[in-house]
Every structure is written in structure tokens, then in C-alpha cells.
Amino acid sequence: MIVEVNSETKTLNIQQEITFFNDSEDFLSSIVLNDWNNAYSNVNSPMAQRFSDEFYRGFHLAAQKEFGSTTNLTIIDDDKLFLSWERNEENPDIITVNLRDRLAPNQKIKLHLTYIVKVPSDKFTKYGYDDNGEMNLKTWYLTPARYENHAFIKYNNENLDDIANGVSDFDIDLKLPKGLEVTTDLNILGSIKKEDYTIYSLSGKNRSDFSLSIEPKSSFYSFDNKPLEVITNLKDERISVAQQALAIDCIVHFVNDLIGEYPFDKIVISQADYERNPFYGLNQLPSFISPFSDEFTYEIKFLKTYLSSFLKNSLRLDQRKDAWIYDGIQVYAMMKYIEENHPNTKMLGNAASFKLLKSYNLTNLDFNEQYSYFYMLMARKNLDQPLGTPKNSLIKFNEQIASKYRAGLSLRYLNDYLGGKVVTNSIRQFYSKNKENQLASMNFESILKSNTNKDINWFFSTIINSRDIIDYKFDEVSKTKDSVSFSLKNRTKTVVSMPVYGIKNGEIVFKKWLDTTVQDSVFTLERKDADKIVLNYKNEVPEYNLRNNWKSLKGFFPNNRPIKFAFMKDLEDPYYNQILYVPTLTYNLYDGLSPGLRLHSKTLLDKPFIFDMNPSYSTKAKTFSGSAVLVFNQNYRNSSMYNVKYSLSGNYFHYAPDATYLKINPMVQFRIRENDFRNNRSQLILLRQVLVNREKSEIIIENFAQNYSVFNAKYFNTNTEITNHLSFMADVQFSEKFGKVAAEFEYRKLFENNRQVNLRLYAGSFLYNNTNSDFFSFALDRPTDYLFDYGYYGRSESTGFFSQQLIVAEGGFKSKLENPYANHWITTLNGGYNIWNWVEVYGDVGLIKNKRQSARFLYDSGIRLNLVPDYFELYLPVYSSNGWELSQKNYNQKIRFVITLSPKILINLFKRKWF
């Protein structure tokens, strides 16, 4: 390639010659080229769709100049004849070059290309140009795709760093304007300096990709760890260059010993690579919290990034299909490194030494134990996926964290089971063969099986290629002074080998791997004075539930767990019944500020049974109030109806200055998902009986029902992402005095011009209505909320500030209109369109019908200031059925607001990006 860099226009002018050698046994009529830079060309590409799926708005809201593209492409052959090529809208990052004659096996052809690459902004993926004149280039050039199993691999760029290139030799002349420097892991053969530019000659052999960074002044340092040169700009100003050199030297030699020698002379470890895949845990802590030493933090960051680059650049696997091998070796090596170099390090570092934190399981766990908990986080949510799942089919949390960690845990598990260094030696053999040949996961499996006499088919069928969960517990246990006998119960019917430990005073006195293939087996082991036997004590097996893994061999109550109190949150501790407590402060107009104490059993991992109680004291009413809920979760692993949740909740607060309400709510929810876990479509069926006891108020003199019971069934069907949102809700309610049905449709669309339209249609009708008030009627703008579902701060207010609180429900109007209730039927349409950033125009139209009255047509319109979505919004009415509201008296009382104090909404906005 001859590449001319234009730093002003952020473009690369490229002349390229590709000599393609057909090393397959097939006759080829076309050649596929990867053009991954063109994935940045529009908001409809597969990469843009993935951004939308994961609720990242930055790409769709970007300016045109920030996009990337590959343009002006011409391709000719050695006879100087033009070759036709194709690139369709569905695959804008794949080019198919049509050959004039079929290319026979062991023959080659030369392609001459010219094209212009527009480099994208690095704010999308960390790759591209930044505002400081730097370019961090990745997958920017055209190159032949990997050929395997009689076909080219056609993978789209989905921001996963898993391009499937054929192995190539590179020779590049890079022309840089004066004042720019280049950093690369290719060999720099020389440079020619001119007055206005410099030409660098770069070369690399037997590679599938390479790194290239262009900066006004290089931020990289070179460390010579013979025979490998390490070039890095990994940031950590708190440790010296000498300390960095020691850490790098230690890691390079460790990886060489464990896996094998790197096949190239240089390797680049960049800050951008680390930021794309950080070590989760370290990167989530605020800068003022330093539970780890600066040296250890740098070491772990460099180790993770080094292993990632090392494996990607040297293993010749399909990085998308065989991602679990890359992830498994990386995390396996990281665990081995910690075991050898930092064996006493805890999950939260020196935070374990703080007296206030000593009782927390979170601080007492060894550093390597965190990997199991991150996997269990997804398994308990019933969101884990098989390790053999292609990388682009994994949900974000699995792709970035849980599946990576489980892959490493699984290799460690296999190594412990096989004993010795079988897995480590197999990794070295596989790595060595990979340098010479293009291999696949089946080759790794074959090497592992050849190195042991044990049957390990279960490992690949169950651990790698299924999402079957593992959960063993002790069944019958008997003991003597010298021996202990027991049988196991396999709760999930997943057959794998399990280790059992004997523990005495916290120390291991024996360990034995158990063959669980024979059902109803009774195992008898020498006791060795053990006072407790524990399955999977060191967490070698990626097991679903550790709480049922132990039996005490002393006392009359072998599994009587003591109660352990913890402040705020903690990880699940299998040896205690944990009760977590946290002070709370709630507010409504009638109770005032209500301090309370929340007692619950919600650890960081989901549990089948949860209790959550929050008693509080109403400072304004001078009485006690609060809420409580009991929840039982049941997961179904192999069903589209993946979760059923049974709950019983109660709430006791004031609904008026002098009157309280008690709401009892037994409920069952059925959650349904698509077979494709990345599909954002979800369904929910909710069945509940709402029982309400309302104390009579002397202040609010209206003929409202005091005690009532309503059966409610709801169905939700939602498919949401950044660019499109479509949802449907059906609602049925029955009580002694009324029955009603309602439906709601919502649609949101983000257009390519960054304008967004929101539409909501609501329709409801009474089936029968024998009430004598509007308490149960449909409402245009402020439902009475007789089911006490909405977070009103002054639910009984009809005037004043608190009456202006808006919750978009039922009619969804924003203006206050006369006679806003409908005791027969209602149909409304709400719409909005953003005109600039967070400023939106809205409009509502509707028909409401009361018994023995004609239907009324009503409307309103105005400006919405969407300052913090769902947290703080203002609605400024302009024109409605009341006329020009801007010119009317007391306009400030017509403004509606949305204020939410609940942190759950913010948490949900974060969670949807990952789950």
C-alpha cells in the first residue's frame, strides 16, 4: 500500500496492490474484501444497529463529518481491465470482487486498487481521530476475508474487534505531513524526510491485522524485553517508568512461560485498547478510592490488555465463532498470574483491612473469586448464554464480562479436575500449532483429549456448548470418628465432576474429586477430624448456587446458618442468613419527610426468595408508615417464558392530611422473551388482586369509595432501542361495582436528521359501571390512581404546586381542562416532536364520553422541556380547549412538571445497556 495521510480532512488516499494466493481446493469466481471502515458511513449499518440495540445515542446524533467511509474505489487486474465489485446496503462493510476468470487452486491474482478512506471520530469506538490531531487506526484498509470450509467468512463490523482477515504479508509506504509521528507494531524499515512530509516504510509478515497510531508527538514508550519490544501508552502517571518496566518485564516472561513466545518482534499495548475492554471492578471505582496499590492497578490493566493483544495477533482462530478460547485463555492466564504473584490479594484490595468492612463477604473474597460472582450475576437472572455462542450473539454484559469470566473459570475447572498441568500444556501445544496453521476450536478439543486418559466429553457438551446450570447438594450424610459417608443430590440433572473438601477450623484437611455419573452413589471418605464437608469449596466449578454446598459434622443442626447483618449491600455469603439494612428517607405531602430503616435480603445476586421491609416514621403525621414485599422467583431455563415471579406486597401511607390507606397486593408475573437473547422484544403478563382500605377523610369531602378490591390483568409487549420504540399494553380490571378494559400503543422513532417523533394512543371503555363518582373513571390529565400505582407526592391535591405534578397515564393530557373524567369511554392521541436538542413541541387530542352525554372533543398543545428524561421535565401549555393559555391569568399554575426521586429509574437506564 501507498497511504497518504491528510490530517486536515481526516482522510487516507490509498493505492493498493493485493496479491491473492488461492491456497484452498476450490475454484474461486470472486474474492471478498473486508471494508470495516465503511461501517461508520451511515446510521443503518449493522454496527449502527448494534449501537441502537445497546442504547448508545452518540453515533446516531453525530455530525456527518464525524462519520467514516470508503469511497472512490476502483479495482483493476494485471491486464489493466476494470473489475466489477458489489457492496449492498445490508452489508456496507463487505466488498465482493467479481473475477473475469475463475481462480484455480494454488494460483494467484493481482488486484490493483485505489480508494479514499474517511477516518471516523474516535468517540464512537476509541478508534479514529480525536480533537488533538491524533489518529488511532484500526481495520481501516481493504483486505481479503478469511477463507474456510469452502467459503469466505462474511462478518459485519459490529464493534467487537473480531475481524476475520486472511493471513497476509504487508508492505506499506506511509506518507505523513510534517509534524506527525507514527507508532506501529509493524517493522519500520526506514524513513525519507522531505520538507513538508515524511515517508515511512513499514513491513509485516504473516499477520491478520496490525496497529497504527499517528500523533503530533508520540505518547508511547518502548520497553525492550528481548526478544520482544513492548510499545505502550497505557496511562498511569502515579508510577514511574522504572516501575512500569518491572511490571511489563514480569508479565511478558510470565505469558511466554505459560502460553508461548510472541511470533512478532513488536507488540503495541494502547490506552484505547484498554478502555474498550477494561478490567471491570477497577474501572468502576471513583478515583479518590484506592483499594489497590498504584503498581498493582497498572499491573492488572497491562496484563489484561497485553493478553488480549497477544492472543488476537497470534492465534489464527475465527475470533467471532471461537471467542470462548480467546476469553478462556486470557482469564485463565490472569488467574494463574494472581495465584503466582499476588496470592493474598482480596477482591477489594486493602479495603478488607478496614475494620468497618471486615464483616462483608465482598471484602473477604480472594481476588480470583470475583470471576465466579460475575458469571453467577447473569446465571441468577437467567440471562447467561453458552460459551460456544458466537460473539455477536451475546448480550453486552456476557460479551464484555460474564462469558469471558466463565470461559476462564471453565478452563481452571478442567485443569483442577485433570490434575497436573494438562490444560496449561494443552494451551502451549495449541498455541504452537496455531503459529503454523489456521485452526479451530475442534483442534483445541482434540489436543486436550489427547493429553488425558479421562473422559472429558461432558466438558465440551455441557460446560462449553450448553447453558445447563450446575447445582449439587448433600443428601444423606452420616459420620463416625474416622469416616464420613454421604450421597449427593443433583438438583439440575447436569452431570459433571465435583470436588468435596473436608474443613477443620477453616483449614482444608482433605480434597477429593467425585465421579457423579453413577446415580445414588454413596461416597465414604476418611474424615481426618473434619468438622465440616463442603462441595466446591474453592469455587472451581462454575456452580449456580453455593448456599447448599456444606454440611456441618458437629452439633444437632447441621445447616443452621447464623444471621449476619450488613449495611447497604453485600455479596451472597453461603454460610450465613444475611439481612441487609440501610436508612431511607421518603417524602409525600401528607407524611412529610419519612425516615426509615430498610431491612431486606437482596444481595448482589438474585435469589429465589426475597423479603424487603421498609418501616418509616411520618414526621408530619406523627405516625408510622412504610411498605413490605415478599417475592418468590422461579426461572425456567429452556422456555420462552423464562421467569415467573410471585409476590405479596403491602403499603401504608397517608393519601390525605388526615387519612391513611392500606394496600395489599398479591401478584404473579410471567416474563416472556425471544430465543435470541439480544432481541430487545419482551413480553409480560401480570395478574394481581389489589385490596385497598382507605380511612375516611374529614378534609376531602367527596363521595369516594373507602374499601374496595380490584382484579387486574395486564399484558405488555415491548420492543425498544435508541432509534425505534414500539410497545403495546392491554389492561383489564374487574371489581364489584365496575369493569373496564383499556389499551395503549406507544411509538417512538429517531430519524437520520436526529429529529424524533413520539406517538401514544390510549383507548378505554367501561364494561359496566355502577359507581356514583368519578373516582374510578378514566381521566384526561391526572388519574385518581385508585390502585395506588403512581408516585404522586400530593395525590389528593386539586390546586397548588403538587396538583401540577404530571404522570403521563390514561389520557396523557398536560393542560387542566374542565370535567376531565369519562365514566363511559375515552380515546386520546398524544404526540411530540423535538425541534432542538431537549426542546420538544407536544400536542394531545381526544374524545371522552360520559353516560347520558354526547362525546366531547378536546385538545391541548405546548412546549416540553425534556431536561433529564423521566427525572425532570417541564410542560408549558400554549393553546388548548381552554384557548390561548399563555395569555391567561396565573399561567405559572398551568405549568406541569415531572420530578422523580426514585433512583431505580436511573439504574434501569444503566441496566438496559448491558442486559
Side-chain angles (χ1 to χ4, degrees):
M1 282 186 284
I2 299 174
V3 182
E4 183 178 1
V5 178
N6 189 322
S7 57
E8 296 296 323
T9 60
K10 317 300 183 190
T11 57
L12 312 174
N13 294 302
I14 299 175
Q15 297 179 44
Q16 184 173 354
E17 179 184 287
I18 297 175
T19 302
F20 182 87
F21 179 76
N22 181 10
D23 58 359
S24 73
E25 299 176 354
D26 304 323
F27 285 82
L28 303 180
S29 57
S30 63
I31 296 174
V32 172
L33 304 179
N34 285 323
D35 182 17
W36 274 27
N37 186 73
N38 205 55
Y40 297 90
S41 60
N42 63 72
V43 295
N44 296 312
S45 69
M47 184 177 69
Q49 180 60 48
R50 193 173 183 94
F51 284 146
S52 182
D53 290 345
E54 294 177 353
F55 297 93
Y56 171 64
R57 297 176 61 92
F59 188 75
H60 291 81
L61 299 179
Q64 188 65 39
K65 66 179 182 179
E66 296 175 313
F67 287 176
S69 61
T70 304
T71 57
N72 295 4
L73 173 63
T74 61
I75 305 175
I76 60 176
D77 60 18
D78 255 357
D79 296 325
K80 297 185 178 180
L81 298 174
F82 285 94
L83 298 177
S84 65
W85 55 271
E86 301 168 2
R87 176 171 58 197
N88 58 47
E89 292 183 2
E90 293 182 0
N91 302 291
D93 42 18
I94 297 172
I95 290 174
T96 301
V97 181
N98 300 309
L99 304 180
R100 291 180 175 273
D101 301 303
R102 292 203 305 168
L103 185 63
N106 298 316
Q107 297 299 308
K108 61 184 179 182
I109 186 174
K110 282 188 179 181
L111 307 178
H112 303 269
L113 301 83
T114 60
Y115 55 98
I116 298 174
V117 166
K118 168 64 177 66
V119 179
S121 168
D122 71 346
K123 72 178 187 179
F124 311 130
T125 64
K126 307 296 182 183
Y127 298 139
Y129 73 85
D130 68 10
D131 295 332
N132 300 318
E134 300 175 5
M135 289 187 187
N136 186 11
L137 301 179
K138 200 80 168 178
T139 62
W140 47 275
Y141 52 90
L142 301 182
T143 189
R146 178 182 176 123
Y147 192 87
E148 173 175 279
N149 296 326
H150 311 291
F152 284 98
I153 295 178
K154 298 180 180 180
Y155 287 158
N156 296 117
N157 183 357
E158 298 185 44
N159 191 30
L160 295 171
D161 288 345
D162 59 354
I163 193 167
N165 287 337
V167 176
S168 301
D169 296 339
F170 293 90
D171 289 294
I172 302 171
D173 286 338
L174 181 67
K175 183 179 178 181
L176 294 182
K178 182 179 179 181
L180 291 179
E181 299 179 5
V182 63
T183 303
T184 180
D185 54 353
L186 296 176
N187 296 316
I188 301 179
L189 303 180
S191 62
I192 301 174
K193 291 189 177 181
K194 299 291 185 179
E195 183 177 349
D196 297 324
Y197 59 86
T198 303
I199 299 176
Y200 293 90
S201 295
L202 312 177
S203 176
K205 306 296 182 184
N206 212 23
R207 306 184 66 108
S208 58
D209 201 4
F210 60 88
S211 297
L212 188 65
S213 180
I214 299 169
E215 301 170 282
K217 182 178 181 181
S218 178
S219 61
F220 288 83
Y221 290 89
S222 174
F223 297 88
D224 191 2
N225 296 82
K226 293 182 179 179
L228 179 64
E229 180 186 2
V230 177
I231 303 170
T232 181
N233 68 342
L234 200 61
K235 296 176 183 175
D236 201 319
E237 299 173 353
R238 295 169 296 182
I239 70 172
S240 66
V241 173
Q243 289 172 312
Q244 293 180 35
L246 285 174
I248 292 171
D249 182 70
C250 180
I251 289 168
V252 168
H253 285 91
F254 170 82
V255 175
N256 281 351
D257 292 341
L258 185 74
I259 300 174
E261 290 191 0
Y262 192 64
F264 308 113
D265 297 331
K266 296 192 292 183
I267 187 171
V268 172
I269 309 301
S270 71
Q271 179 68 22
D273 289 338
Y274 174 74
E275 289 177 358
R276 284 182 56 79
N277 286 287
F279 187 87
Y280 289 95
L282 293 179
N283 68 314
Q284 304 302 315
L285 297 171
S287 58
F288 63 86
I289 297 177
S290 299
F292 300 100
S293 68
D294 296 337
E295 293 83 1
F296 179 82
T297 300
Y298 180 84
E299 213 171 332
I300 293 301
K301 289 166 62 176
F302 184 88
L303 174 65
K304 187 177 192 299
T305 314
Y306 178 80
L307 282 166
S308 178
S309 297
F310 182 99
L311 294 170
K312 283 182 179 178
N313 293 339
S314 55
L315 279 184
R316 298 187 186 181
L317 293 170
D318 184 331
Q319 295 186 54
R320 181 164 295 184
K321 186 174 65 176
D322 297 326
W324 75 269
I325 295 182
Y326 288 91
D327 297 337
I329 296 175
Q330 181 193 41
V331 176
Y332 176 80
M334 291 180 69
M335 288 191 287
K336 285 287 186 184
Y337 184 85
I338 293 295
E339 288 173 3
E340 291 185 15
N341 297 280
H342 303 279
N344 299 318
T345 302
K346 298 298 182 181
M347 179 175 172
L348 286 187
N350 58 25
S353 63
F354 299 158
K355 288 185 178 180
L356 290 175
L357 301 177
K358 276 188 175 295
S359 62
Y360 284 85
N361 192 37
L362 184 66
T363 60
N364 291 319
L365 288 176
D366 289 338
F367 190 86
N368 280 343
E369 288 188 75
Q370 65 185 294
Y371 299 111
S372 177
Y373 278 90
F374 276 113
Y375 154 66
M376 283 201 290
L377 182 69
M378 297 304 282
R380 295 283 186 90
K381 293 180 181 297
N382 204 2
L383 289 173
D384 56 304
Q385 295 171 273
L387 291 180
T389 302
K391 194 173 183 179
N392 65 326
S393 297
L394 296 172
I395 57 179
K396 185 175 181 179
F397 194 93
N398 286 333
E399 182 262 317
Q400 293 266 306
I401 305 174
S403 290
K404 286 177 179 287
Y405 291 177
R406 193 191 176 195
L409 287 166
S410 299
L411 289 182
R412 187 184 70 164
Y413 168 30
L414 184 63
N415 190 62
D416 288 342
Y417 169 68
L418 296 177
K421 296 184 177 180
V422 173
V423 169
T424 301
N425 292 337
S426 298
I427 289 173
R428 289 185 61 84
Q429 290 178 34
F430 179 70
Y431 182 78
S432 177
K433 288 186 176 182
N434 209 279
K435 290 181 181 179
E436 304 168 1
N437 301 290
Q438 185 170 285
L439 301 182
S441 58
M442 65 181 68
N443 303 108
F444 186 48
E445 181 178 345
S446 298
I447 290 173
L448 280 167
K449 288 179 177 178
S450 68
N451 287 333
T452 180
N453 295 323
K454 295 182 179 180
D455 179 11
I456 57 172
N457 285 317
W458 56 268
F459 177 80
F460 295 95
S461 61
T462 301
I463 303 298
I464 303 301
N465 295 316
S466 81
R467 62 187 300 265
D468 296 342
I469 57 175
I470 304 166
D471 189 11
Y472 282 86
K473 62 176 289 186
F474 288 107
D475 195 6
E476 299 293 331
V477 177
S478 61
K479 62 186 178 181
T480 67
K481 183 179 179 180
D482 300 319
S483 66
V484 57
S485 299
F486 57 86
S487 59
L488 298 182
K489 185 173 182 179
N490 186 347
R491 301 189 67 189
T492 59
K493 310 304 179 188
T494 304
V495 179
V496 298
S497 295
M498 288 291 293
V500 62
Y501 289 80
I503 308 296
K504 181 182 179 182
N505 298 326
E507 299 293 329
I508 299 171
V509 293
F510 69 77
K511 174 186 177 182
K512 175 73 173 177
W513 280 94
L514 304 176
D515 182 2
T516 64
T517 57
V518 181
Q519 294 185 357
D520 302 321
S521 294
V522 176
F523 302 94
T524 300
L525 303 175
E526 185 181 354
R527 182 171 174 178
K528 297 184 178 180
D529 294 327
D531 54 37
K532 184 190 300 180
I533 53 174
V534 184
L535 291 170
N536 198 21
Y537 181 68
K538 287 293 186 179
N539 226 348
E540 296 101 323
V541 184
E543 196 176 4
Y544 182 76
N545 182 16
L546 300 175
R547 287 179 59 80
N548 55 13
N549 278 22
W550 63 281
K551 283 280 187 179
S552 174
L553 299 180
K554 59 184 181 179
F556 297 100
F557 303 101
N559 272 6
N560 187 20
R561 296 183 179 88
I563 293 176
K564 179 181 180 182
F565 288 90
F567 179 65
M568 294 290 286
K569 280 281 188 182
D570 195 8
L571 278 180
E572 183 176 280
D573 190 331
Y575 305 114
Y576 290 90
N577 287 317
Q578 293 162 287
I579 297 179
L580 298 106
Y581 63 93
V582 59
T584 60
L585 186 65
T586 58
Y587 175 81
N588 70 59
L589 180 61
Y590 315 117
D591 288 298
L593 288 173
S594 300
L597 183 66
R598 182 183 172 211
L599 301 169
H600 65 96
S601 60
K602 291 182 178 179
T603 57
L604 295 175
L605 300 179
D606 290 354
K607 296 179 178 179
F609 176 75
I610 294 171
F611 70 86
D612 194 339
M613 299 182 295
N614 190 8
S616 58
Y617 181 74
S618 303
T619 57
K620 196 169 184 178
K622 308 299 182 185
T623 60
F624 287 98
S625 57
S627 60
V629 62
L630 302 175
V631 177
F632 178 72
N633 265 305
Q634 193 167 7
N635 287 332
Y636 296 90
R637 301 283 297 177
N638 301 309
S639 172
S640 57
M641 188 182 73
Y642 72 101
N643 174 263
V644 179
K645 181 162 74 173
Y646 307 89
S647 64
L648 176 63
S649 63
N651 296 279
Y652 181 74
F653 293 100
H654 282 78
Y655 75 91
D658 63 336
T660 62
Y661 75 89
L662 173 64
K663 172 186 173 182
I664 304 295
N665 183 20
M667 178 168 59
V668 59
Q669 299 179 52
F670 304 89
R671 296 183 180 274
I672 302 169
R673 68 179 172 207
E674 301 299 299
N675 292 328
D676 177 7
F677 283 21
R678 284 197 58 84
N679 193 316
N680 285 348
R681 181 170 180 252
S682 63
Q683 299 176 74
L684 172 68
I685 299 171
L686 181 151
L687 306 174
R688 62 176 177 167
Q689 188 75 35
V690 181
L691 299 95
V692 177
N693 185 319
R694 298 171 71 250
E695 193 177 36
K696 188 174 179 60
S697 171
E698 300 297 331
I699 297 176
I700 301 175
I701 311 296
E702 294 187 38
N703 188 20
F704 287 173
Q706 300 303 313
N707 303 310
Y708 50 89
S709 175
V710 179
F711 171 77
N712 183 206
K714 288 187 176 182
Y715 169 72
F716 299 87
N717 190 327
T718 304
N719 194 345
T720 186
E721 56 188 67
I722 283 295
T723 56
N724 286 287
H725 167 82
L726 184 64
S727 68
F728 168 74
M729 185 274 292
D731 186 5
V732 180
Q733 298 178 20
F734 292 105
S735 75
E736 181 181 356
K737 293 189 176 181
F738 74 90
K740 64 198 307 188
V741 294
E744 177 186 275
F745 296 88
E746 286 187 348
Y747 175 72
R748 183 184 69 240
K749 174 68 175 178
L750 178 64
F751 296 101
E752 290 189 33
N753 62 0
N754 294 334
R755 293 287 183 258
Q756 182 169 287
V757 63
N758 299 280
L759 296 172
R760 175 180 177 269
L761 176 66
Y762 181 83
S765 176
F766 278 92
L767 302 174
Y768 59 92
N769 187 357
N770 300 321
T771 63
N772 55 3
S773 76
D774 281 323
F775 186 59
F776 298 108
S777 295
F778 296 107
L780 269 182
D781 75 292
R782 187 175 165 88
T784 57
D785 190 25
Y786 52 86
L787 295 180
F788 292 92
D789 288 336
Y790 306 135
Y792 284 125
Y793 300 119
R795 63 177 57 252
S796 298
E797 301 302 293
S798 57
T799 60
F801 175 78
F802 286 94
S803 70
Q804 295 172 237
Q805 182 187 1
L806 175 68
I807 293 176
V808 178
E810 297 189 4
F813 271 52
K814 288 77 186 179
S815 292
K816 294 183 178 181
L817 306 179
E818 292 185 6
N819 303 320
Y821 296 105
N823 59 24
H824 192 183
W825 56 261
I826 183 174
T827 302
T828 61
L829 177 65
N830 316 124
Y833 185 78
N834 73 307
I835 53 177
W836 177 79
N837 206 356
W838 40 266
V839 179
E840 180 181 300
V841 293
Y842 72 83
D844 308 309
V845 294
L847 288 167
I848 63 173
K849 174 74 168 64
N850 284 285
K851 290 186 289 188
R852 296 179 294 277
Q853 295 181 18
S854 299
R856 290 190 298 148
F857 175 73
L858 300 165
Y859 57 90
D860 72 359
S861 61
I863 302 294
R864 175 192 181 193
L865 304 180
N866 192 10
L867 302 174
V868 183
D870 299 322
Y871 259 78
F872 183 43
E873 304 173 10
L874 293 177
Y875 290 82
L876 310 176
V878 175
Y879 189 75
S880 71
S881 297
N882 292 330
W884 287 100
E885 302 207 37
L886 282 169
S887 62
Q888 296 173 4
K889 293 182 179 180
N890 301 319
Y891 179 75
N892 62 318
Q893 297 179 18
K894 298 177 181 292
I895 297 173
R896 306 298 296 275
F897 64 86
V898 172
I899 292 180
T900 307
L901 302 179
S902 172
K904 288 183 179 180
I905 294 176
L906 189 61
I907 292 171
N908 287 337
L909 291 175
F910 168 79
K911 285 170 60 177
R912 69 182 187 176
K913 297 179 180 181
W914 291 91
F915 304 144

